[in-house]
Amino acid sequence: MKITRLKTWQVPPRWLFLKIETDEGCYGWGEPVIEGRAATVEAAVHELSDYLVGQDPHRIEHLWNTLYRAGFYRGGPILMSAIAGIDQALWDLKGRDLGVPVHQLLGGAVRDKMRMYAWTGGDRPSDVGAGAKALADKGFTAFKMNGTPELQIVDSHRKVDEAVARVAEARNAVGPDVGIGIDFHGRVHRPMAKALLRELEPYHPMFVEEPVAPEHLPCLKDIAGGLGYPLATGERLHTRFEFRDLLKDGMIDIIQPDISHCGGISEGLKIAALASAYDVALAPHCPLGPLTLAASLQLDAVSHNAFIQEQSMGIHYNQGNDVLDYLVDKSALSIEDGFCAIPQGPGLGVEIDEAFVEERANVGHRWRNPVWTHEDGSIAEW
């Protein structure tokens, strides 16, 4: 069997789908994308196709190393996201060819279903109490909310009080047993993070995510020691080597690699294993489409330290289409009582409606994240 073609589609709301085809009719799907840079990742995928066409798709590890090492310049969000989607598609193809789900090829599942969480509150968080209660009523045992809108590097304590009040509102709405993930989104700089991290402690967060931007993670040793709840990060780290440097400092309790940004299932598996050596939990990042979610669940299935999975059904970014729209069998990723069964179909366990993909690709997208400014006109972290 040889790879013959890589086909890509930009589809609403902000995703890029990839299909790898072979001379024997077998195929696989993946999702190589960076939010807001889909066209750039798409170009990278087609550049990398020079290393893939004519090759045996079953040699996944060999092809991964070819894509990573043969180009000399390595890593980063664009290249690793392109590799990620290709890797997902190769695993999907191999599983389809052999008639088994990917998790069977990785040693077999350690769990039958995965605990899931949902989003509420939007980019500038509001009505979080009502939103959290609605999710709990649907059976979710955990949700995530943005902690703050934009913050200056040094801002008023009123902004801290407002952020704490929103978390208090959410906690009061759902009671003590529902997990609350609070995403700082890299919006909180070191001087403000010192105060905000401490003042959230009475509300027992399930975790605080991206307490500072990735380039400032070393400061956690100084500002976050002794907290009584977990810290999480990782969506903007792209290789096992970046995670190695993060884990050795001992300041992160939960890693959140994105299986469409960190080199795919192959690299995600190595990152998860590395984290387990530090007794650190895994909660893959996934505000993306059905293929990223399916790939994440295959990784969760074989990773003992995985404890919860993000998903983006109904998230405020999903304008025009949502996660399940592109599936032939929407039940493959259905969530019941806050859990999603590990997909058991061949490959990633989902079947993409290619005709619908073609239709929506005619609409396409040019999604960009919001550009925020502070009152003085300077650019704010989004």
Side-chain angles (χ1 to χ4, degrees):
M1 185 188 297
K2 304 296 182 187
I3 296 170
T4 55
R5 183 166 64 162
L6 282 73
K7 296 172 64 178
T8 52
W9 299 266
Q10 292 187 45
V11 296
R14 56 178 188 163
W15 305 329
L16 178 69
F17 290 172
L18 162 69
K19 185 182 183 184
I20 295 180
E21 299 178 339
T22 68
D23 58 357
E24 295 186 9
C26 198
Y27 60 88
W29 289 86
E31 195 171 332
V33 69
I34 279 284
E35 301 92 299
R37 298 292 182 266
T40 311
V41 178
E42 185 174 30
V45 167
H46 289 290
E47 287 184 328
L48 291 171
S49 69
D50 293 348
Y51 300 98
L52 297 167
V53 172
Q55 299 300 310
D56 177 0
H58 283 264
R59 299 185 65 192
I60 298 174
E61 189 69 16
H62 173 68
L63 293 175
W64 195 99
N65 277 284
T66 301
L67 298 175
Y68 181 78
R69 301 179 190 280
F72 189 71
Y73 294 99
R74 303 172 182 175
I78 301 303
L79 286 174
M80 295 307 292
S81 296
I83 291 173
I86 292 168
D87 181 82
Q88 293 168 14
L90 291 172
W91 279 110
D92 188 42
L93 190 157
K94 188 165 187 172
R96 290 175 183 275
D97 189 37
L98 299 176
V100 296
V102 168
H103 63 77
Q104 290 286 10
L105 302 176
L106 300 177
V110 301
R111 55 178 52 85
D112 302 319
K113 59 185 181 179
M114 191 67 193
R115 186 185 180 200
M116 312 294 285
Y117 69 84
W119 268 89
T120 193
D123 263 346
R124 289 188 169 98
S126 62
D127 298 324
V128 292
K133 181 67 164 56
L135 291 172
D137 289 344
K138 289 180 180 179
F140 283 99
T141 63
F143 68 91
K144 189 163 75 177
M145 56 180 282
N146 276 309
T148 73
E150 61 271 43
L151 282 179
Q152 281 275 18
I153 187 167
V154 176
D155 214 321
S156 70
H157 205 277
R158 175 178 60 82
K159 297 283 188 68
V160 173
D161 291 340
E162 289 171 351
V164 173
R166 280 189 292 271
V167 175
E169 175 190 344
R171 176 56 75 203
N172 290 336
V174 299
D177 298 327
V178 174
I180 303 178
I182 305 167
D183 192 353
F184 281 16
H185 218 251
R187 297 172 184 170
V188 186
H189 295 268
R190 172 183 174 143
M192 302 305 295
K194 287 198 296 185
L196 187 50
L197 287 168
R198 293 284 187 280
E199 297 207 20
L200 289 173
E201 200 153 20
Y203 303 99
H204 306 295
M206 180 173 64
F207 57 77
V208 164
E209 177 175 335
E210 281 205 316
V212 291
E215 54 266 41
H216 301 307
L217 285 171
C219 80
L220 290 181
K221 293 191 294 290
D222 300 319
I223 69 172
L227 285 175
Y229 59 83
L231 297 179
T233 197
E235 70 192 68
R236 291 191 273 182
L237 304 179
H238 306 106
T239 67
R240 77 195 85 150
F241 310 109
E242 291 175 286
F243 280 93
R244 174 197 63 195
D245 296 339
L246 171 70
L247 290 164
K248 72 181 182 183
D249 280 339
M251 290 307 303
I252 289 295
D253 308 291
I254 303 164
I255 59 162
Q256 301 171 302
D258 190 306
I259 308 306
S260 279
H261 302 338
C262 76
I265 295 170
S266 296
E267 188 74 349
L269 189 66
K270 297 175 177 69
I271 291 166
L274 181 63
S276 72
Y278 289 87
D279 205 21
V280 166
L282 172 70
H285 179 254
C286 185
L288 292 169
L291 292 159
T292 309
L293 179 55
S296 299
L297 289 165
Q298 297 296 330
L299 178 63
D300 293 329
V302 299
S303 301
H304 192 269
N305 54 334
F307 87 103
I308 202 164
Q309 175 62 56
E310 181 176 27
Q311 53 82 33
S312 71
M313 297 175 201
I315 200 171
H316 49 288
Y317 305 125
N318 290 356
Q319 302 295 317
N321 283 109
D322 213 323
V323 175
L324 301 182
D325 294 351
Y326 292 96
L327 298 184
V328 173
D329 177 9
K330 296 171 175 45
S331 68
L333 295 177
S334 65
I335 299 172
E336 297 181 12
D337 297 324
F339 285 85
C340 183
I342 302 299
Q344 298 299 317
L348 296 180
V350 296
E351 191 64 56
I352 296 295
D353 184 342
E354 187 168 349
F356 186 67
V357 169
E358 292 276 6
E359 175 187 328
R360 298 305 291 160
N362 290 326
V363 176
H365 68 85
R366 195 172 175 83
W367 188 87
R368 298 290 184 268
N369 63 254
V371 177
W372 289 355
T373 57
H374 295 298
E375 187 177 0
D376 63 4
S378 61
I379 292 293
E381 298 282 359
W382 169 74

